């Protein structure tokens, strides 16, 4: 079996048997393309890959990629070799190594004032009302950008103030929409979308050219706004998702509820937000609590 056949079998298994989302499978495909290229350059046969080859691959990607990408690619390679062993009894070199996950930086979030600045920065033109609406929806619901772009009319219940999301692994969840987002959505659906619609589309978010909203467009708007508002580093759709979760936690929401609203299958994924709040508490303590002065006073005695 060569690399191409093995990778296609693995991806097919992930999509059909494991029910992985298309975006997840696409990420696996990209990861394994890099892995295959690395092994091809070193003329390493698929059935002769050793744990040393994999360690070399991890060292290679750590030089050029962020910790989150390294962790994901390492996990993809692990899953790929586990699959080959279980399906074809091709030896699994990952059993001989423990891939230590690189430490991920805490996700960036916006505070309430920053969110207000972002939302208020949009004008009342049609295009900027459209942009304000999808930004409000991201912050008010915590949707992934792919979920936002793929949202259809039959998933939105404005009177009830909820949306029905089909997330990763085709899992369904119900997410409330904030009043501001409901108002903006109603305005967009009644006064803007009909003017832009060129053909029958079920997508909620349709741009000026009559096409479904794309992830790239959302990213570009937030990148532009980051520069305009001097947000450093630049914010992304995921920044608004993180801000949604962090705001809920700040206001006393239970972690299990946040997990359900975000569509996380594992509570450990949601627990990253407790680290954000812990970090914020420490900064506040250092800035305002008189205890911060004790060490300085002792050093001056």
């Amino acid at each position: 079996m060569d690399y191409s056949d093995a990778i296609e079998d693995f991806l097919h298994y992930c999509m059909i048997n494991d029910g992985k989302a298309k975006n997840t499978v696409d990420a696996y495909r990209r990861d394994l393309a890099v892995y295959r290229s690395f092994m091809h350059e070193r003329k390493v046969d698929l059935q002769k890959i050793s744990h040393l080859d994999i360690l070399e691959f991890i060292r290679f990607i750590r030089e050029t990629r962020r910790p989150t990408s390294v962790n994901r690619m390492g996990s993809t390679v692990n899953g790929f070799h586990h699959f080959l062993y279980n399906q074809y009894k091709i030896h699994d070199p990952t059993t001989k190594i423990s891939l230590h996950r690189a430490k991920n930086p805490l996700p960036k979030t916006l505070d309430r004032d920053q969110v207000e600045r972002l939302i208020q920065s949009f004008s009342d033109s049609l295009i900027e009302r459209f942009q304000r609406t999808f930004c409000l929806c991201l912050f008010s619901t915590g949707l992934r950008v792919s979920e936002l772009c793929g949202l259809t009319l039959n998933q939105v219940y404005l009177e009830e103030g909820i949306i029905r999301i089909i997330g990763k692994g085709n899992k369904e969840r119900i997410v409330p929409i904030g009043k501001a987002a409901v108002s903006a959505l109603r305005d967009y659906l009644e006064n803007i979308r009909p003017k832009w619609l060129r053909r029958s589309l079920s997508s909620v978010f349709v741009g000026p050219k009559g096409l479904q909203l794309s992830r790239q467009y959302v990213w570009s708007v937030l990148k532009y706004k980051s520069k305009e508002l001097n947000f450093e580093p630049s914010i992304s759709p995921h920044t608004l998702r993180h801000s949604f979760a962090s705001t809920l936690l700040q206001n006393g929401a239970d972690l299990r509820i946040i997990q359900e609203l975000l569509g996380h299958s594992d509570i450990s994924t949601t627990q990253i937000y407790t680290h954000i709040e812990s970090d914020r508490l420490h900064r506040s303590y250092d800035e305002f609590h008189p205890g911060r002065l004790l060490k300085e006073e002792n050093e001056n005695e």
Side-chain angles (χ1 to χ4, degrees), residues 85-294:
Y85 177 77
N86 290 330
Q87 294 294 316
Y88 302 109
K89 298 307 175 187
I90 296 175
H91 85 290
D92 182 358
T94 65
T95 59
K96 296 184 178 182
I97 57 178
S98 175
L99 297 178
H100 299 291
R101 293 176 65 84
K103 187 176 180 180
N104 293 329
L106 292 178
K108 176 180 173 58
T109 61
L110 300 179
D111 60 31
R112 183 174 178 176
D113 288 342
Q114 289 174 314
V115 173
E116 285 290 339
R117 283 178 58 206
L118 172 64
I119 299 305
Q120 295 301 324
S121 69
F122 294 100
S123 72
D124 284 332
S125 67
L126 293 186
I127 186 69
E128 296 211 12
R129 278 158 60 192
F130 166 60
Q131 294 168 352
R132 180 197 296 126
T133 300
F134 65 66
C135 286
L136 258 176
C137 286
L138 283 172
F139 175 70
S140 297
T141 62
L143 296 185
R144 300 176 178 93
V145 66
S146 57
E147 294 170 342
L148 177 89
C149 295
L151 199 63
T152 57
L153 295 170
N154 63 0
Q155 292 177 269
V156 178
Y157 302 83
L158 288 182
E159 295 305 319
E160 294 82 0
I162 60 173
I163 51 178
R164 183 172 53 87
I165 298 299
I166 308 299
K168 289 186 176 181
N170 289 322
K171 294 179 181 177
E172 182 177 285
R173 69 186 192 275
I174 304 297
V175 182
I177 320 172
K179 291 181 180 179
V182 167
S183 177
L185 258 176
R186 182 173 281 112
D187 171 57
Y188 165 72
L189 290 172
E190 293 178 359
N191 302 312
I192 301 175
R193 185 179 183 273
K195 295 178 180 179
W196 292 347
L197 201 61
R198 301 286 185 272
R199 55 190 175 86
S200 178
L201 272 182
S202 62
S203 304
V204 169
F205 289 105
V206 175
K209 296 182 179 180
L211 301 176
Q212 178 182 314
L213 177 67
S214 70
R215 291 180 296 170
Q216 293 80 5
Y217 182 80
V218 180
W219 275 83
S220 67
V221 168
L222 288 172
K223 184 176 181 179
Y224 176 83
K225 283 295 177 182
S226 296
K227 186 175 181 180
E228 178 185 317
L229 299 172
N230 293 317
F231 286 155
E232 292 292 344
S234 293
I235 60 174
S236 69
H238 231 59
T239 304
L240 296 180
R241 177 170 160 86
H242 292 319
S243 301
F244 163 81
S246 182
T247 300
L248 286 175
L249 191 61
Q250 279 181 328
N251 288 285
D254 183 87
L255 202 62
R256 289 286 181 185
I257 298 298
I258 299 174
Q259 176 191 5
E260 184 176 337
L261 291 175
L262 291 174
H264 288 161
S265 58
D266 192 332
I267 190 67
S268 63
T269 308
T270 318
Q271 285 172 334
I272 184 66
Y273 300 106
T274 64
H275 299 312
I276 296 173
E277 291 312 304
S278 176
D279 186 56
R280 184 177 286 124
L281 285 172
H282 279 294
R283 291 200 307 271
S284 296
Y285 180 94
D286 290 341
E287 183 175 355
F288 299 113
H289 196 281
R292 71 185 176 88
L293 301 174
L294 292 179

